[in-house]
Amino acid sequence: MALSSQDFSNLIDDRPEDGMFRVHRRVFTDPEIFDLEMKYIFESGWVFLGLASQLLANHDFFTTSIGRHPVLVTRNGAGEIGAFVNSCPHKGARICQHEQGNARLHVCPYHSWSFDSAGKNRAIKGKAAGAYSEAFEQTNHDLRPVGAFGNYRGLLFGSMSADVPSLDEYLGDARPLIDLIVDQSPEGMELVPGAVGFTFDANWKLQLENCSDQYHFSSVHPSYLQVLERRAEKEYDGSTQNMWDVKKMAQVEPGVPTGGTYNFHQGHVLNWRMPDSPEALPLYERRDELAERFGEAKRDWMFYSRNLTLFPNVQFAENASSQIRIIRPLAVNRTEMRTFCMAPIGESADARRRRIRQYEDFFNPSGLATPDDTVVYEACQEGYQSEAEPWLQGYSRGMCASRAGPDPFADLIGLNPASSVAADRFLSDETIFHAYYRAWRARMMSAGAVHTGLVEEVAA
């Protein structure tokens, strides 16, 4: 049965005038919805691919995906970066089998067709003896470029569709938040060697939400908080210190804003809070330099704990350390995550050591946080199977604190969010999720109109 635009509209109960925002459980469990998400959100819009700093030398490459399409991102011999469908035009096999590397030629493992780092077909095995037709000779045998490809300050994005807004329009008012990341070094950001991939048996939107969810922290991560308490009682070297201090947390007065959330029109969101111990940050060693380059307000914002999500597939978590999280949906109830530690290019050896130790402490399946989160994702997915009460109520905290436009903290660095919440550490705002589902609904209503029209056309 085709889902219409009205069906998708009805799955998000968004009535701000009545103080109501709810999401239907079907959004997380329906395979037909998932298929349309892949086509109209992950393949027809901009998604994050990686960093230009992963491609420092000519012929460097890395592989990733846009929805269900395998993608090869490579720097050609002239130094230009491009993105191509990583599928041989001959029989469709995935050509490049490696996550990253350097190669002038990529050779298909099935029949040895070869392609250069600009995606051009360089050889067809046994072509002279192939008795090919004139039509075949006139066919383009190069790798297919993705529909759209863009670079914002070293962050690479792509889409399978050419019919997308400009990259600047897509990033919109979230661009200053990307600048907070990139400007931490005059040379930009790089990935610390090593990457982690893992899966969980739950819908991709649970990861989307959790990175922005402050409400779960004390419930899901008590072991991490206990470790922080023990460290506060003893002397540890700088690499095990953290911007969060449990003693200082306990001293914060209710009602005093120490953080907040921002929603942006394109579905991007940010949650942030002031650090308890900024001197524990690897970046703190450059405090004077950053203040001189950008002013104290922007420098202080770089020290804030920030979780930025660019809808739909990338999250920049700058809290315990600095992490990039790339979301790849595999099925309605299965998601793959690829995570990387990122760092300012040129930071000192001591700062890099501290960053890596703090990263290991909190992130990845071996850390003190990620395993807790993935367990509760799967618990949610199991619970979604019941529609005895179909509407989820986890989107209401903060509705009476939300205001249109920026707040005084956003004004300090010229941020212009669609809405904002400035709060103490007890509020744990949930209106931050509204931007996700408004963007989701807009994309899916468009999909519903096309999908229903196609069904009606076939029926006619």
Side-chain angles (χ1 to χ4, degrees), residues 27-314:
V27 165
F28 300 90
T29 61
D30 190 320
E32 185 178 359
I33 289 176
F34 176 83
D35 288 341
L36 292 173
E37 287 176 335
M38 295 300 287
K39 183 173 182 179
Y40 292 97
I41 292 180
F42 281 85
E43 296 169 356
S44 298
W46 289 104
V47 296
F48 177 78
L49 301 178
L51 299 181
S53 60
Q54 295 174 256
L55 308 169
L56 294 177
N58 290 355
H59 313 298
D60 278 356
F61 70 86
F62 66 84
T63 55
T64 182
S65 63
I66 298 178
R68 292 160 293 195
H69 301 267
V71 170
L72 171 67
V73 185
T74 180
R75 188 183 291 273
N76 66 23
E80 301 163 333
I81 300 176
F84 307 90
V85 178
N86 187 16
S87 174
C88 185
H90 179 228
K91 285 288 189 175
R94 185 162 56 93
I95 297 168
C96 184
Q97 307 290 313
H98 304 284
E99 288 189 1
Q100 61 183 31
N102 182 282
R104 292 176 178 270
L105 284 180
H106 298 276
V107 181
C108 179
Y110 198 0
H111 296 93
S112 299
W113 284 29
S114 62
F115 308 84
D116 67 17
S117 57
K120 300 295 184 182
N121 176 251
R122 288 304 181 189
I124 293 174
K125 186 181 73 172
K127 184 179 179 182
Y132 287 114
S133 68
E134 184 65 24
F136 178 85
E137 295 287 357
Q138 294 177 359
T139 299
N140 187 328
H141 308 305
D142 299 338
L143 297 183
R144 179 179 173 179
V146 301
F149 179 73
N151 181 342
Y152 179 76
R153 303 206 63 194
L155 276 65
L156 307 178
F157 297 83
S159 173
M160 292 308 300
S161 172
D163 186 20
V164 289
S166 70
L167 183 59
D168 280 352
E169 184 179 348
Y170 159 70
L171 295 174
D173 292 317
R175 283 177 294 172
L177 297 171
I178 299 174
D179 297 340
L180 285 178
I181 300 170
V182 179
D183 285 338
Q184 291 176 30
S185 166
E187 291 81 34
M189 301 294 286
E190 64 182 351
L191 300 183
V192 176
V196 170
F198 61 94
T199 60
F200 56 82
D201 292 330
N203 189 268
W204 64 276
K205 292 183 288 297
L206 281 158
Q207 173 63 47
L208 198 72
E209 289 191 19
N210 187 76
C211 188
S212 309
D213 184 348
Q214 298 166 313
Y215 194 34
H216 80 283
F217 195 86
S218 60
S219 304
V220 177
H221 305 304
S223 57
Y224 181 67
L225 291 172
Q226 289 167 8
V227 167
L228 294 184
E229 288 175 357
R230 294 193 194 103
R231 288 177 181 169
E233 296 170 355
K234 299 181 179 180
E235 292 293 330
Y236 286 90
D237 67 78
S239 64
T240 58
Q241 293 177 346
N242 193 277
M243 66 169 72
W244 295 317
D245 186 310
V246 290
K247 290 183 178 179
K248 292 179 180 178
M249 286 181 189
Q251 295 168 0
V252 174
E253 295 182 19
V256 177
T258 57
T261 61
Y262 300 125
N263 284 348
F264 298 89
H265 290 296
Q266 299 83 355
H268 315 317
V269 307
L270 176 83
N271 65 287
W272 67 276
R273 60 165 292 185
M274 298 175 185
D276 301 309
S277 303
E279 65 278 2
L281 298 171
L283 191 63
Y284 191 73
E285 67 177 14
R286 305 174 76 167
R287 60 192 180 278
D288 295 333
E289 170 199 340
L290 293 170
E292 184 176 348
R293 288 173 58 203
F294 302 111
E296 291 187 2
K298 183 171 178 179
R299 185 275 312 273
D300 291 348
W301 259 98
M302 290 181 182
F303 290 165
Y304 290 173
S305 168
R306 304 185 315 280
N307 283 355
L308 169 65
T309 298
L310 300 179
F311 185 84
N313 80 316
V314 66

